[in-house]
Amino acid sequence: MIRLGTRGSLLATTQSGWIADRLREAHGVEVELVEISTLGDRSSAPLEQIGGTGVFVAAVREALLEGRVDLAVHSLKDLPTAPADGLTLAAVPQREDPRDVLIARDGLTLGELPRGARVGTGSPRRISQLNALGLGIETAPLRGNVDTRIGKVTSGDLDAIVLARAGLLRLGRADEATEILDPIQMLPAPGQGALACECRVDDDATTALLAVLDDPDTRAAVTAERTLLATLEAGCTAPVGALADVVWGDDGDELWLRAVVGDPSGAPVIRRSAVGSPAEAAALGRRLAQEMLADGADQLMGSATTA
């Protein structure tokens, strides 16, 4: 019996259930989901007020380290970039669509929303990129599960909301999106759409079971994105977007990384891209981050924090 630690939300248990099914199919093992309450689930306050990075994973990691569960499944974008003592990222399965989507009243797209329309999101990354488009919309704070967020639109409290498409796809609700946002407009959070399977570093048996789920292209992409985030010294609540893709180039596979650092006020953003080898994903992320820091990304993020 493998005990899989997961947050208790419908999306989290759906994601963890998908991992459990893959393990059952691959190895014929029994997998039990163990629901764990996290600080991020219990509080409705903005994430930066309750600790920001790690509020959705700390309690699950604690259960793993204490031996109450054998592995943990997280949304990778919620995972701090710093390594956790005693734990290893044993598998990063194939990524779901990382893009953001709009869910708006009357089937509207982002460009069709009237000036002054209220768009719900609690993400500084999304706020900065929305405001940088100069559409004259207003952003409003938003927390809660998918049902709660969509309910803000259907009730008329908000004109639209922005969500990750991956979550809607996993819940079978992708058709409720009124527009898929092109990364040219809205780069996703580093790691968005990917799952992280963690286990204890000394648990060779579980590590071996998880190996079959690891997708090399996804791991390379998220390694580049998360290394960029770490080099910028920015957490998961920072106004930073990044997306890496493995593509076919003249000399074989190439890793293309795009990134943006913004300011929630809508001030001009810093947007850069770079290409490298999937085998050197961390170096690519580090190099692009250093270029952005040279362009003033640290000052831009600092002004966003103090605004």
Side-chain angles (χ1 to χ4, degrees):
M1 173 68 71
I2 303 296
R3 299 162 299 168
L4 189 160
T6 177
R7 293 168 56 198
S9 71
L10 177 59
L11 178 56
T13 56
T14 299
Q15 293 174 163
S16 295
W18 184 85
I19 295 294
D21 287 342
R22 302 290 81 73
L23 289 173
R24 294 181 186 113
E25 292 168 2
H27 303 293
V29 297
E30 291 296 323
V31 183
E32 174 191 9
L33 297 192
V34 179
E35 295 184 11
I36 299 165
S37 175
T38 72
L39 176 59
D41 297 312
R42 296 191 298 271
S43 174
S44 59
L47 295 183
E48 57 270 21
Q49 291 184 12
I50 59 174
T53 304
V55 297
F56 290 115
V57 304
V60 183
R61 280 178 156 178
E62 181 181 350
L64 184 55
L65 287 167
E66 292 177 352
R68 289 184 278 133
V69 296
D70 304 301
L71 71 103
V73 174
H74 315 280
S75 291
L76 189 57
K77 68 181 180 62
D78 295 332
L79 209 61
T81 56
D85 290 341
L87 300 180
T88 183
L89 184 57
V92 181
Q94 186 172 10
R95 190 180 208 168
E96 188 53 272
D97 190 333
R99 294 174 294 177
D100 282 322
V101 298
L102 188 79
I103 298 179
R105 62 174 176 82
D106 306 321
L108 298 176
T109 64
L110 189 59
E112 293 169 340
L113 289 172
R115 294 188 69 83
R118 300 181 70 242
V119 179
T121 175
S123 162
R125 169 188 63 83
R126 289 172 176 150
I127 293 170
S128 67
Q129 293 184 81
L130 286 170
N131 287 338
L133 294 173
L135 299 176
I137 61 176
E138 298 178 6
T139 58
L142 185 67
R143 283 285 314 278
N145 59 33
V146 171
D147 278 332
T148 299
R149 298 185 190 204
I150 294 177
K152 295 290 185 179
V153 177
T154 56
S155 68
D157 289 347
L158 296 172
D159 295 294
I161 59 172
V162 181
L163 296 175
R165 187 167 191 250
L168 294 180
L169 284 166
R170 289 179 176 127
L171 293 173
R173 303 182 66 171
D175 59 352
E176 296 183 46
T178 57
E179 182 182 13
I180 300 173
L181 300 177
D182 193 299
I184 293 174
Q185 293 179 302
M186 178 77 65
L187 276 173
Q192 185 163 302
L195 300 179
C197 300
E198 282 190 317
C199 62
R200 291 182 295 278
V201 292
D202 59 356
D203 188 347
D204 295 336
T206 303
T207 300
L209 289 176
L210 289 169
V212 69
L213 302 183
D214 197 59
D215 180 70
D217 286 354
T218 300
R219 184 179 280 269
V222 301
T223 295
E225 295 165 15
R226 285 167 53 78
T227 302
L228 176 134
L229 190 67
T231 306
L232 291 173
E233 296 185 353
C236 64
T237 60
V240 176
L243 179 60
D245 297 287
V246 176
V247 298
W248 182 255
D250 293 338
D251 299 317
D253 283 345
E254 295 179 344
L255 187 61
W256 181 31
L257 174 62
R258 293 171 282 175
V260 63
V261 172
D263 182 321
S265 70
V269 301
I270 297 173
R271 188 182 292 265
R272 297 288 181 271
S273 64
V275 178
S277 165
E280 299 175 344
L284 177 64
R286 193 174 303 112
R287 171 163 59 88
L288 186 56
Q290 289 168 345
E291 291 176 8
M292 298 180 83
L293 288 170
D295 289 338
D298 50 347
Q299 288 90 350
L300 195 56
M301 289 188 294
S303 66
T305 303
T306 58

